[in-house]
């Protein structure tokens, strides 16, 4: 099934002085009854406009690239078996904020969704009023999270911090990963790192994603700060050979290029 596009002024430009377009929403759900129901709910609101609908993840990718959107209301089941779906959605449309609807909430899935960039996790049984409120809050830049989910997320980060500071369970890094980390702390870009190590820029990106997952960090700055705080490179200095290291106290975090 192709992406369903709403007819409401999608191709009509707004002239200067016109009313704002409001919150642009894409509905992604494998069940038509849910899409129809949500569309009718949002149709009653002057500030919310459904711009497209999709029944598969592939169609959602296409819709997000074709139509600017503020919020995506996404059926959680569409993510089943696709671990990289959320990062891919964020990559394709970084301005779009994601709301995932789930049949039932569980700790591991909820924490992972928020960790990967979802702004809200709501039950399929959510009331229309709450769904509208959720969309407005998230479109305004807030995160929608209930008390139970807050507890799960806090506990997950506490557990992660404890694990990462326990020397007995320190993640094992390969020589190439350590070499790349050393380059990051020197403020080198992926292209420069690839040239020095003798590989491609895409390979460096792949390695960095693995390193982020191992250390529980989200970007280059967090990685560099983590290395300095835990003296990661110094710890491995005597355990490895041929790694282009520099003294960690000389690493200039301000030069880390995002």
């Amino acid at each position: 099934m192709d992406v369903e596009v709403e007819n409401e002024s999608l191709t009509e430009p707004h002239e200067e002085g016109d009313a704002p377009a409001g919150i642009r929403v894409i509905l992604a759900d494998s069940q038509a009854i849910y899409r129809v129901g949500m569309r009718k709910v949002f149709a009653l609101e002057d500030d919310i406009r459904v711009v497209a609908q999709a029944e598969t993840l592939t169609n959602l990718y296409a819709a997000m690239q074709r139509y600017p959107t503020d919020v995506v209301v996404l059926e959680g089941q569409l993510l089943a078996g696709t671990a990289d779906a959320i990062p891919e959605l964020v990559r394709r449309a970084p301005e779009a904020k994601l709301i995932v609807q789930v049949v039932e909430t569980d700790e591991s899935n909820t924490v992972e969704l928020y960790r990967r960039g979802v702004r809200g996790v709501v039950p399929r049984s959510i009331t229309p009023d709450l769904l509208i409120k959720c969309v407005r809050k998230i479109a305004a830049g807030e995160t929608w999270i209930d008390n139970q989910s807050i507890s799960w997320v806090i506990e997950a980060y506490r557990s992660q911090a404890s694990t990462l500071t326990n020397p007995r369970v320190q993640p094992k890094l390969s020589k190439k990963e350590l070499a790349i980390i050393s380059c990051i702390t020197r403020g080198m870009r992926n292209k420069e790192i690839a040239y020095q190590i003798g590989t491609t820029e895409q390979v460096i990106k792949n390695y960095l994603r693995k390193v982020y997952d191992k250390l529980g960090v989200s970007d280059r700055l967090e990685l560099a700060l983590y290395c300095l705080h835990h003296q990661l490179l110094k710890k491995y200095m005597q355990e490895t050979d041929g790694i282009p290291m520099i003294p960690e106290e000389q690493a200039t975090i301000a030069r880390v290029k995002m």
Side-chain angles (χ1 to χ4, degrees), residues 26-179:
I26 291 179
L27 305 177
D29 203 295
S30 62
Q31 299 186 41
I33 190 169
Y34 275 95
R35 298 197 305 272
V36 170
M38 287 187 290
R39 181 185 173 188
K40 288 184 176 180
V41 167
F42 293 137
L44 299 175
E45 307 302 317
D46 294 335
D47 60 334
I48 300 176
R49 185 164 59 99
V50 175
V51 296
Q53 301 177 44
E55 67 171 4
T56 67
L57 201 56
T58 300
N59 289 344
L60 175 58
Y61 289 149
M64 292 179 73
Q65 287 189 304
R66 186 174 180 184
Y67 303 106
T69 183
D70 302 301
V71 176
V72 176
V73 182
L74 171 64
E75 178 194 2
Q77 189 59 34
L78 290 182
L79 303 173
T82 53
D84 294 329
I86 296 297
E88 181 64 16
L89 290 170
V90 173
R91 184 188 70 79
R92 288 171 181 253
E95 300 303 318
K97 301 171 180 67
L98 305 177
I99 300 173
V100 175
Q101 289 188 316
V102 295
V103 175
E104 57 182 6
T105 57
D106 66 86
E107 183 172 356
S108 61
N109 186 51
T110 299
V111 170
E112 186 64 17
L113 286 171
Y114 281 113
R115 181 175 178 271
R116 288 183 174 270
V118 168
R119 292 298 190 91
V121 180
V122 300
R124 296 279 272 175
S125 58
I126 189 171
T127 64
D129 287 347
L130 270 183
L131 181 59
I132 291 168
K133 184 177 180 180
C134 175
V135 167
R136 286 176 176 151
K137 290 283 187 181
I138 288 176
E142 299 182 32
T143 297
W144 183 274
I145 184 169
D146 58 32
N147 291 334
Q148 177 64 76
S149 297
I150 290 175
S151 298
W152 286 342
V153 171
I154 291 175
E155 184 57 35
Y157 277 105
R158 283 176 179 168
S159 176
Q160 182 184 68
S162 175
T163 298
L164 293 176
T165 54
N166 184 345
R168 295 184 178 181
V169 291
Q170 282 286 348
K172 186 65 176 177
L173 298 168
S174 69
K175 289 183 179 182
K176 185 161 289 188
E177 288 170 339
L178 289 166

Side-chain angles (χ1 to χ4, degrees), residues 176-177 179-181 183 188 192-199 204 244:
K176 185 161 289 188
E177 288 170 339
I180 292 171
I181 291 172
C183 292
M188 296 174 65
E192 297 168 329
I193 299 172
Y195 178 78
Q196 175 162 324
I197 293 178
T199 185
I204 298 299

Side-chain angles (χ1 to χ4, degrees), residues 9 12-16 18-21 49:
S9 66
E12 297 176 6
H14 289 277
E15 296 182 2
E16 189 174 355
D18 283 355
R49 185 164 59 99

